[in-house]
Amino acid sequence: MRRPLLTFAVLLTLAIGSLGAGTAHTLPLPDRMADTGGGSQLITAEAPDTGSTTGTVTWWERRGGRWAEAGSAPARFGANGLAEGATREQGTSTTPAGLYDLPYAFGIEEAPAGTRYAYRKVNEDSWWCQDNASASYNRWVEPRPADCRADEAEHLVSYGTQYARALVIGFNYERPVRNRGAGIFLHVNGRGATAGCVSVPADAMAEILAWADPEREPHIAVGTTSGPTAITHY
């Protein structure tokens, strides 16, 4: 009688293990992440691997104590894929993987109806300084200061499609590290891959801005499906 009982016990253990694995796999992405930033809203930007230039942006919110998907859209990443944010180098055209806050929104166009984020309107004097030698490195400047060279800064109004509407991603923002990277945003799609930002179609960007509520402390997690830069690590 021992062998049948042993066989039954093994099969039962395997069945329970399979059920548990299946349940874990079907959990919403935020529930499988190491950290979501502590708020009740989250944006995930997930690419298949570090060489990918496309993937998916999904925005989530807590409903009844659980994470629920609020919307999703195809996404574009840097022309050279993704790189670990903590060691990324400026000028590599990689999107930094990691978990970041979203300091404020901006755009050439008016903010979508319902926008609750502080929204900064772009004008002819608006620049984003990427000059490592400038005191204004990785900051919006208006007008451009003398120590921020024009060829090391983005004249925001010149990007009529991409910066029609955008959210600043807090990568290397609070205490900027020189040569780590500057001007990383969630913005509207251009013609193709980005220089390191995350981009989505215009209608999705408008939807995200109308949905995001700074009082709910939204963050953005950028990463890959698996590997060292897996989005679940952040």
Side-chain angles (χ1 to χ4, degrees):
M1 294 295 291
R2 285 186 177 181
R3 185 170 296 174
L5 286 173
L6 181 61
T7 302
F8 176 76
V10 170
L11 290 173
L12 181 61
T13 300
L14 289 172
I16 292 172
S18 298
L19 180 61
T23 301
H25 183 71
T26 57
L27 286 173
L29 179 55
D31 285 324
R32 292 182 274 125
M33 292 174 57
D35 190 6
T36 58
S40 59
Q41 288 187 333
L42 176 71
I43 299 171
T44 56
E46 185 177 10
D49 54 60
T50 53
S52 301
T53 59
T54 60
T56 305
V57 159
T58 306
W59 44 109
W60 309 81
E61 60 189 17
R62 299 284 289 179
R63 298 176 188 165
R66 297 183 178 182
W67 285 105
E69 182 179 321
S72 183
R76 296 177 185 173
F77 298 97
N80 289 321
L82 288 76
E84 171 58 54
T87 55
R88 178 187 184 269
E89 295 182 3
Q90 185 165 325
T92 56
S93 292
T94 54
T95 299
L99 178 68
Y100 309 107
D101 63 355
L102 298 159
Y104 61 91
F106 71 92
I108 295 169
E109 297 183 8
E110 297 293 335
T115 298
R116 284 159 287 188
Y117 251 89
Y119 189 88
R120 195 164 185 178
K121 196 77 162 51
V122 174
N123 62 57
E124 289 291 337
D125 288 329
S126 305
W127 295 74
W128 196 277
C129 185
Q130 300 178 353
D131 191 335
N132 282 281
S134 175
S136 301
Y137 178 66
N138 202 20
R139 286 292 184 271
W140 178 304
V141 289
E142 198 174 292
R144 179 177 55 82
D147 74 341
C148 182
R149 293 167 291 172
D151 60 353
E152 293 290 336
E154 284 192 343
H155 193 201
L156 299 178
V157 76
S158 299
Y159 297 85
T161 299
Q162 295 94 323
Y163 298 160
R165 288 167 176 154
L167 268 167
V168 175
I169 294 177
F171 165 72
N172 200 32
Y173 187 77
E174 186 176 352
R175 295 181 180 87
V177 175
R178 308 291 163 158
N179 295 302
R180 182 61 48 79
I184 302 297
F185 313 125
L186 173 62
H187 64 66
V188 176
N189 284 341
R191 292 184 177 180
T194 73
C197 296
V198 179
S199 72
V200 293
D203 58 348
M205 191 69 238
E207 190 173 340
I208 290 169
L209 284 173
W211 161 84
D213 182 353
E215 292 190 359
R216 298 182 68 175
E217 301 179 4
H219 286 66
I220 184 168
V222 183
T224 53
T225 301
S226 61
T229 54
I231 197 167
T232 51
H233 292 175
Y234 302 111

